Amino acid sequence: MVLLPVEASEAGWLSDVFKGTSKQAKPSKQTKSPKRVTSRKPAALPKPAASPKAPGVKLAALGPFGLNPAAFKPAANRCEPAKLRIVLDVGHTAESEGAISARNVSEFVFNLRLAKRIEERLKAEGFKETKLLLTEGKARRSLFKRVDAANDLPADLLLSIHHDSVPNKLLEDWEFEGKKSRFSDRFSGYSVFVSRDNPDFKTSLSFAELIGKEMKAQGLEYAKQYTLPIMGRYQHPLLNKETGVYSYDELIVLRKTRMAAALLEAGSIINRDEELKMSSREHQDIISSGVASAVKEFCEPRWGMLGPL
């Protein structure tokens, strides 16, 4: 099992991380249009008007690692929703529950609940081949199972669902319903992660950008702490300061899967206020709607310009 996402506590943090180094970026190619020839005096041909640039988001400075700008160009995707194969990976397992929330609920419970809501929404939108990937076992072994299962399906896209926390050094003590617990109200928000070592990084990044854009369109803000020195070894390069897309190259679930993959930290369950939001059906519907919109735009870019009909 190899799936170590951004966990909530240091015990749960990065237990499934294996490092990789490969990087790739493919340059785009341009073709020249053929010249027109006339038998006599050539008529003056009007110069073709420059095609308008598609709207896009500005990219942040790329942290400690640079990327070829060509990698950020959105992939031109067209597909039939009924045939697009999407895997929703439920982060962690019942045996390795991930982070523990401010009110002593495991991250796995949050992940499973939200993943089911997203699955329902995607299928309702016509993405019938959406599959929920639920794994058993301890952290490391379950990670290998997770990646193998995803690669065996096979799938076109993988989205791993998680909920966020902070390193242990940032936690504070409190009591909830007579039980000791820990919290940190300092940080909140969603974040999206990709691995530059994924075999289809360009598509992974395009998909992650759409998710971040739709989360923002739903009125959500992304978690900004991953760029701060206080995070120490848990800092990650911010690839887009508008949408909250980060690079997390070592995550096995992103690096070892053979399809385009992204990981969504839906929000912080160690933040007491945000934990309550994450528990509400209304907020789960907001996130599910954002993911569905991102998948629609990924499958048919024109949908993003027209909006839902």
Side-chain angles (χ1 to χ4, degrees):
M1 296 307 315
V2 195
L3 161 231
L4 290 175
V6 184
E7 308 293 0
S9 64
E10 291 208 340
W13 272 60
L14 310 181
S15 53
D16 47 64
V17 170
F18 295 22
K19 294 186 178 178
T21 56
S22 62
K23 297 181 178 129
Q24 56 183 340
K26 297 180 181 178
S28 59
K29 296 181 180 179
Q30 295 181 341
T31 57
K32 296 181 180 179
S33 55
K35 297 180 180 179
R36 295 180 58 186
V37 180
T38 56
S39 58
R40 299 183 114 192
K41 208 172 185 183
L45 297 175
K47 293 183 179 180
S51 57
K53 293 183 179 179
V57 287
K58 295 181 179 179
L59 296 172
L62 298 180
F65 303 100
L67 289 175
N68 188 326
F72 288 95
K73 293 181 180 179
N77 302 292
R78 288 180 182 276
C79 65
E80 294 181 43
K83 295 182 179 179
L84 184 68
R85 299 165 299 186
I86 306 167
V87 172
L88 296 176
D89 168 48
V90 180
H92 301 289
T93 69
E95 295 84 358
S96 295
E97 298 178 316
I100 300 299
S101 78
R103 292 171 176 81
N104 300 311
V105 179
S106 75
E107 181 191 350
F108 175 71
V109 171
F110 283 89
N111 296 345
L112 179 58
R113 183 168 51 199
L114 179 59
K116 286 182 175 179
R117 295 291 299 144
I118 296 173
E119 179 191 25
E120 291 172 5
R121 183 60 181 263
L122 285 172
K123 287 185 174 179
E125 296 288 351
F127 296 94
K128 303 298 185 182
E129 290 298 311
T130 300
K131 297 184 183 299
L132 207 65
L133 178 59
L134 193 59
T135 320
E136 298 178 351
K138 295 295 183 180
R140 182 165 297 185
R141 291 180 60 191
S142 68
L143 291 173
F144 285 105
K145 289 181 183 178
R146 189 181 308 268
V147 171
D148 289 343
N151 288 335
D152 287 344
L153 283 172
D156 301 303
L157 292 174
L158 180 140
L159 179 61
S160 189
I161 306 298
H162 288 260
H163 288 75
D164 215 350
S165 184
V166 296
N168 282 344
K169 65 181 180 181
L170 300 178
L171 295 175
E172 301 176 58
D173 295 325
W174 78 311
E175 282 193 6
F176 176 70
E177 295 183 343
K179 294 182 180 179
K180 291 183 178 181
S181 186
R182 308 187 81 186
F183 75 96
S184 175
D185 295 338
R186 184 170 180 179
F187 303 114
S188 62
Y190 75 88
S191 47
V192 191
F193 293 87
V194 292
S195 171
R196 291 169 294 185
D197 293 331
N198 179 279
D200 193 356
F201 168 63
K202 185 175 181 179
T203 305
S204 299
L205 181 61
S206 176
F207 182 44
E209 289 284 296
L210 291 173
I211 293 173
K213 187 186 77 170
E214 292 299 335
M215 293 296 110
K216 184 177 180 180
Q218 295 289 338
L220 306 180
E221 295 186 2
Y222 74 86
K224 298 178 174 62
Q225 68 265 26
Y226 289 105
T227 63
L228 301 178
I230 195 172
M231 296 298 286
R233 63 194 179 103
Y234 303 124
Q235 279 183 282
H236 296 290
L238 178 62
L239 302 183
N240 191 327
K241 67 180 180 181
E242 299 294 331
T243 57
V245 175
Y246 290 89
S247 170
Y248 197 163
D249 296 339
E250 298 85 3
L251 278 181
I252 294 301
V253 74
L254 300 180
R255 183 166 68 91
K256 289 294 188 179
T257 44
R258 291 195 288 266
M259 72 291 297
L263 184 146
L264 172 64
E265 294 280 358
S268 176
I269 55 173
I270 205 67
N271 179 303
R272 291 175 293 184
D273 290 337
E274 190 154 81
E275 178 190 9
L276 295 177
K277 288 183 181 179
M278 296 292 109
S279 301
S280 73
R281 177 107 178 186
E282 293 76 16
H283 198 77
Q284 293 162 24
D285 286 341
I286 288 173
I287 296 173
S288 301
S289 176
V291 171
S293 295
V295 174
K296 283 182 181 179
E297 189 172 350
F298 177 88
C299 191
E300 178 48 81
R302 288 180 300 177
W303 188 92
M305 294 182 281
L306 296 175
L309 301 178

